[in-house]
Amino acid sequence: MITVEERAAILKVIGSKHIKKIQAYLIQNKILTPNKKYYSKTVISYILSGERENEIIENAIFAFAHQRMLEQEKQQELRDLLVSKQKL
């Protein structure tokens, strides 16, 4: 189950429209319900808020947040590199 602290960290990394982004990640990675349907935004919201428990979705949310964090770090490195080149 996702805790309040974990949720805050996830939201900080993913940013606005987080439910829509998580749903797109689940669809892209073909993570489906046992009935082979896409997870609804409502279900994702319940899981993210800690109201429901679903290990598969929770793990996918953490994987997505980690992926976004790595992307953000890479972007920051590129920005820092550009700034350092301008100072030379």
Side-chain angles (χ1 to χ4, degrees):
M1 186 168 286
I2 295 178
T3 66
V4 173
E5 294 84 15
E6 291 170 337
R7 182 179 192 276
I10 290 166
L11 295 181
K12 185 176 179 180
V13 171
I14 296 176
S16 64
K17 301 187 182 190
H18 51 278
I19 300 296
K20 186 175 182 178
K21 291 175 184 177
I22 292 169
Q23 186 182 43
Y25 177 83
L26 296 174
I27 291 169
Q28 178 184 357
N29 289 283
K30 296 178 178 38
I31 299 172
L32 306 172
T33 68
N35 297 332
K36 305 295 182 207
K37 295 184 179 183
Y38 296 122
Y39 283 94
S40 70
K41 291 178 184 176
T42 303
V43 170
I44 295 167
S45 178
Y46 283 142
I47 294 167
L48 185 59
S49 68
E51 293 178 43
R52 291 193 184 161
E53 193 170 338
N54 183 318
E55 188 174 347
I56 294 169
I57 301 304
E58 291 172 23
N59 289 339
I61 291 170
F62 282 108
F64 177 55
H66 183 256
Q67 176 184 331
R68 294 284 298 196
M69 188 175 66
L70 293 175
E71 290 169 2
Q72 290 170 357
E73 288 174 357
K74 182 67 175 171
Q75 286 297 320
Q76 189 60 48
E77 288 176 16
L78 292 172
R79 288 177 184 210
D80 293 346
L81 180 62
L82 178 66
V83 170
S84 68
K85 294 283 185 181
Q86 294 298 318
K87 291 181 180 179
L88 296 177

